[in-house]
Amino acid sequence: MTKRQMAYLACTAAVTASVLGAAPSADHRSVHWVHPGESIQKAVNSAHPGDTVVLSPGTYHESVRVTVANLTLRGSGARSTVIVPGKASADSCAKAGNGICVTGTDSKRVKGVTVRSLTLRGFKKHGLWASGTDRLTVQGVVAEKNGQWGIAQERSVRGVFRNNVAQNNGDAGLFLSNTVSTEEGARDTLGTVVSHNRLAGNRIGITVRRLRNLTVDHNEATGNCAAVFVVGDENKPRVGALSVIRNYVHANNKYCPKTPRLPFLQGSGIVLTGAEKTLVAENRVEDNVGTSPLSGGIVLYKSFVGAVNERNEIRDNVVQRNGKADLANRDRVKGKGNTFHRNTCAHSEPAGLC
C-alpha cells in the first residue's frame, strides 16, 4: 500500500468516526427505566424531548407531572403497571389529587406527549389531567375509581384518545372541554379524536363540553348513567361542528342523583344540549331506559341555561328498546333546523322521527 493510499484511508476513517460520533447528539433519544420503589417523577425530570420513560411491571405510589415535549411515558401493560396515590406531596399535580398531569399553557403548549399502557386508579380528582397540550396521545390506559374524571383535557388541540378503558369514575370517564376555569365560547380542537374506548360504570361515559371540530367514533359505553353528552351554553362560538359516529351505546341504566345543573340521570344514550351542526350517525343505541327528562336513546334537550339545539343531523342510527323514547327532540319549540332521517327505531318524541 502506497503512502498516498494510507493517507486516504486514514482520512476516510477520521471522517467516518466523526459522523458516527456526531449522530447521537444530532438526534438523541434515551430510554429511562423505572422499577417499583423508584421515582417516576425523577425519571421524567431527567428526560429530554423525545425520550421515553418505561415503567416496569408493579405498583407505583405517586403522582407524575409532565412538561417535557415529545416525551413518552409507557407502562408495561395496563394489567401490570399501576399508578395509585402516594404520600402527601408539595407537587401541584399531587396536591390537586391527580394521577398524571400533562401541563402547558395557551401561549406555550406542551407538544407530542404520549401516555400509554398503564392504569391510573383511586385518585381523589382525576386519573389523567391535561391542560395546554398539542397532539397529546393517551392510548391503552385504564382510568378507574377516580373521584371525578378518569381522563380529562382542556385548552388543548389535536389530541388522540384511543383504546382506553375508563370505568367507575365519579363523573365522566372521558372529559374534554374548552376550559374549566373561565366562561368563554367553544374552542376549535383542530381535529381531536376520541376512538375505540370503553366507558363503563361512570356517571357519564364521554362528556364533550364547549368544543368544535372533534370526532367521537367507535366507542362502547355501557353501565353509565348517561353514555355521551355534547354540552353547550349561550357563549359564542357554540359547541358543534363535530361528529358522534359508529358508537355502541347500550344499557346505560345506572342511577345518578340530580346536581345543581342537571336532573337525575338514568337511561340516557346520546344527549345534545345547546349544540349546533353536530352529526350523530351510524350509532347503535339500545336498551337505555329511565324516566329522567334526559332519558332516551338519542335526545335533544335545551341546556341548563336555555341554549337550544340547532341544525343538528341525526341519521342512519339503529336506536331500539330505549325509554322514554328511542329518538327525542325535547327542544323542538325553539330549536331550529334539526333533522332526523333514515333511523331505525320504534318510538319517538314527537311521533314521526323514526
Side-chain angles (χ1 to χ4, degrees), residues 111-128:
K111 298 181 179 180
V113 171
T114 296
V115 180
R116 61 183 304 171
S117 303
L118 51 81
T119 289
L120 298 163
R121 179 186 299 146
F123 287 91
K124 183 178 180 180
K125 199 75 170 178
H126 317 313
L128 186 146

Side-chain angles (χ1 to χ4, degrees), residues 127-128 138 141 143 149-153 161 164-166 169 172-176:
L128 186 146
V138 182
V141 168
W149 301 322
I151 298 169
Q153 177 175 271
F161 300 85
N164 303 292
V165 175
N169 297 287
L174 271 167
F175 178 88
L176 294 96

Side-chain angles (χ1 to χ4, degrees), residues 50-296:
D51 286 0
T52 299
V53 175
V54 180
L55 310 182
S56 298
T59 300
Y60 297 81
H61 299 263
E62 63 176 299
S63 296
V64 183
R65 185 165 56 92
V66 178
T67 58
V68 180
N70 299 310
L71 180 78
T72 296
L73 177 59
R74 177 169 61 84
S76 297
R79 290 176 176 265
S80 57
T81 301
V82 180
I83 302 177
V84 299
K87 295 180 180 179
S89 170
D91 180 80
S92 59
C93 185
K95 287 180 70 175
N98 302 322
I100 293 175
C101 299
V102 184
T103 53
T105 64
D106 278 338
S107 60
K108 189 177 181 180
R109 293 189 174 107
V110 59
K111 298 181 179 180
V113 171
T114 296
V115 180
R116 61 183 304 171
S117 303
L118 51 81
T119 289
L120 298 163
R121 179 186 299 146
F123 287 91
K124 183 178 180 180
K125 199 75 170 178
H126 317 313
L128 186 146
W129 168 248
S131 181
T133 70
D134 184 354
R135 297 184 178 90
L136 171 68
T137 297
V138 182
Q139 184 170 350
V141 168
V142 173
E144 60 184 11
K145 300 180 180 178
N146 299 291
Q148 189 171 355
W149 301 322
I151 298 169
Q153 177 175 271
E154 65 156 7
R155 300 175 178 269
S156 298
V157 296
R158 292 179 281 211
V160 175
F161 300 85
R162 182 173 285 128
N163 295 321
N164 303 292
V165 175
Q167 57 191 14
N168 303 323
N169 297 287
D171 192 67
L174 271 167
F175 178 88
L176 294 96
S177 177
N178 58 347
T179 171
V180 300
S181 58
T182 60
E183 286 292 329
E184 62 178 57
R187 294 195 179 203
D188 189 332
T189 74
L190 304 182
T192 288
V193 174
V194 180
S195 182
H196 292 89
N197 303 284
R198 188 173 193 273
L199 302 312
N202 308 286
R203 186 170 182 271
I204 301 171
I206 300 171
T207 296
V208 176
R209 192 176 78 173
R210 303 176 191 163
L211 292 175
R212 298 178 70 84
N213 190 7
L214 176 144
T215 300
V216 178
D217 73 280
H218 290 94
N219 302 281
E220 180 186 7
T222 187
N224 309 283
C225 303
V228 180
F229 261 30
V230 178
V231 182
D233 59 19
E234 75 280 14
N235 290 296
K236 305 291 184 180
R238 300 178 62 189
V239 63
L242 58 88
S243 299
V244 181
I245 55 176
R246 303 186 187 95
N247 301 282
Y248 181 30
V249 174
H250 60 107
N252 291 278
N253 298 326
K254 180 180 174 182
Y255 176 87
C256 291
K258 69 178 182 178
T259 68
R261 292 192 170 191
L262 288 175
F264 79 91
L265 297 177
Q266 186 179 39
S268 295
I270 299 171
V271 179
L272 274 58
T273 67
E276 69 171 8
K277 298 180 182 178
T278 295
L279 173 65
V280 181
E282 300 180 39
N283 300 282
R284 183 177 169 190
V285 186
E286 300 174 332
D287 302 308
N288 304 282
V289 179
T291 58
S292 166
L294 299 175
S295 296

